[in-house]
């Protein structure tokens, strides 16, 4: 059932493709995310911008 919804969405995109401006925006956002991940993996991400790792919440059973 879920595959049918994806096929319907793909057919709508084929009939009405996104504008070039929207494609550029999405690619820019993806590029920024990849850059942040790479900087963090290399250790060049500033200390003040890192999240503190707290204790994990224990859910009651």
């Amino acid at each position: 059932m879920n595959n049918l919804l994806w096929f319907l969405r793909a057919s709508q995109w084929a009939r009405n493709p996104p504008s070039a401006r929207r494609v550029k925006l999405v690619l820019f956002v993806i590029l920024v995310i990849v850059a942040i991940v790479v900087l963090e993996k290399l250790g060049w991400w500033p200390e003040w911008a890192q999240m503190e790792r707290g204790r994990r919440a224990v859910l009651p059973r």
Side-chain angles (χ1 to χ4, degrees):
M1 181 67 178
N2 195 17
N3 289 337
L4 181 61
L5 293 176
W6 282 106
F7 283 129
L8 288 173
R9 180 176 293 191
S11 69
Q12 284 181 339
W13 275 22
R15 289 186 206 125
N16 301 317
S19 66
R21 184 177 179 191
R22 179 165 295 205
V23 172
K24 288 178 186 176
L25 174 68
V26 170
L27 290 176
F28 177 74
V29 169
I30 291 172
L31 180 68
V32 167
I33 292 170
V34 168
I36 289 173
V37 169
V38 168
L39 288 174
E40 186 174 358
K41 292 292 181 185
L42 290 175
W44 295 346
W45 193 248
E47 199 63 38
W48 59 266
Q50 292 180 354
M51 291 179 48
E52 294 180 12
R53 301 214 183 243
R55 295 186 312 166
R56 296 183 74 185
V58 178
L59 299 175
R61 292 184 180 215

